[in-house]
Amino acid sequence: MKLSSVDLTHLAGLAIGAATEAGEMIARSQPGEVRYKADGSSPASQVVTEVDRRSEAMIVDILGPTLTQYDLGLLTEEQADDGSRLRADHFWCVDPLDGTLAFIEGLPGFAVSIALVERNGTPRIGVVHDPVDQTLLHAISGVGAFRDRDPWPNDPPTGKVLSVFADRSFVSGSDHDTTMESLRKVAVDMGLTGVQLHATRGGVMNACGVLANPPACYIKYPGPSGGGSVWDFAATACLFHEAGAVATDIEGGALDLNREESTFMNHRGVLFATDQVLASRIRTLWEAVQG
């Protein structure tokens, strides 16, 4: 089913309502019992709480009628992939509580994330609600990106350092030292005073942190497994596209947001950056690592 601009606006409004309602519930909640998923590729992806499940139920209850009305598929983190994302022209992609580990620890860095994605992997709607400060970010393909419903500002970067956002696993990973040293050189070349690493947030808030702290980047190298899942990146990819920032795989190709073989993103990596010049420098670093 072809979606018009009116359809997208209507669906975005529903997604905003669902994310906001779920985010407000999360803000009032405590983690409670913590369970562990067998298919998680890292400690952050293995944990799940009853709040995750309640958030997902609230969101699916609000968006559920659109599955029939608009012939949409559905992919959510806490439900098995039913393959509808591969059959429908568009599908909802829901992360009901990204950054569960931060939520359990009482730290900021978690969010509700909802995207509408075309079957070809193009994100058409992206909605993120931050329960900590009650910030709402959303984007509609071809319409623009918004923060608390105001148009996304196009102010020039004012940061004096290169802000680097990364998953917790990066800190203890084998690539940490060489990557950070290379990024320090990039920062110097850009006339910046250094690099500041942020590594306590979930993937969604990592990407949002990039947009909020230019110049900045969020890097996930390709690997044999894991690498985050579609629901970690779909909504923020739409935000980045509409804000004029960069959301690609590590080599500059489009993010594979509807991979038939798996929902994981490890095969091509992920690169979020505030501008094309920074993204190009990071890709050069990756090419050097590959030899």
Side-chain angles (χ1 to χ4, degrees), residues 153-174:
N154 289 317
D155 301 329
T158 58
K160 302 301 182 184
V161 300
L162 174 60
S163 294
V164 177
F165 291 82
D167 299 333
R168 297 183 186 214
S169 56
F170 170 74
V171 177
S172 57
S174 59

Side-chain angles (χ1 to χ4, degrees), residues 27-255:
R28 300 189 302 266
S29 302
Q30 297 297 319
E33 181 183 2
V34 178
R35 299 180 182 179
Y36 294 85
K37 296 182 283 189
D39 59 346
S41 59
S42 67
S45 64
Q46 290 167 352
V47 291
V48 62
T49 72
E50 183 58 30
V51 178
D52 293 72
R53 302 187 191 282
R54 283 163 50 197
S55 175
E56 182 165 289
M58 293 173 68
I59 293 167
V60 172
D61 185 58
I62 293 172
L63 300 182
T66 67
L67 303 184
T68 301
Q69 182 179 0
Y70 293 92
D71 193 22
L72 305 178
L74 177 67
L75 176 68
T76 73
E77 181 174 11
E78 307 306 336
Q79 296 181 20
D81 180 6
D82 65 1
S84 61
R85 64 187 175 89
L86 302 172
R87 299 187 296 269
D89 290 336
H90 299 81
F91 66 95
W92 287 117
C93 184
V94 178
D95 194 337
L97 178 49
D98 182 78
T100 302
L101 196 56
F103 173 65
I104 292 169
E105 295 172 346
L107 299 173
F110 52 91
V112 179
S113 177
I114 302 174
L116 185 73
V117 184
E118 278 194 54
R119 184 165 52 189
N120 66 8
T122 302
R124 301 298 303 278
I125 294 170
V127 177
V128 174
H129 185 274
D130 178 356
V132 175
D133 61 13
Q134 298 292 303
T135 299
L136 172 70
L137 308 179
H138 83 276
I140 304 173
S141 179
V143 176
F146 304 85
R147 178 186 175 93
D148 292 330
R149 301 183 184 272
D150 291 326
W152 196 268
N154 289 317
D155 301 329
T158 58
K160 302 301 182 184
V161 300
L162 174 60
S163 294
V164 177
F165 291 82
D167 299 333
R168 297 183 186 214
S169 56
F170 170 74
V171 177
S172 57
S174 59
D175 296 318
H176 172 269
D177 292 347
T178 55
T179 298
M180 291 303 294
E181 181 58 31
S182 296
L183 289 173
R184 290 186 187 97
K185 293 177 181 177
V186 168
V188 171
D189 289 343
M190 294 174 64
L192 303 171
T193 59
V195 173
Q196 184 173 5
L197 176 64
H198 307 266
T200 61
R201 310 179 184 201
V204 171
M205 291 306 292
N206 273 335
C208 292
V210 171
L211 282 181
N213 295 276
C217 61
Y218 173 32
I219 307 168
K220 289 180 70 70
Y221 291 135
S225 63
S229 294
V230 173
W231 48 76
D232 295 310
F233 309 109
T236 48
C238 189
L239 285 167
F240 270 63
H241 293 169
E242 293 302 307
V246 177
T248 67
D249 67 22
I250 200 67
E251 295 183 352
L255 286 174

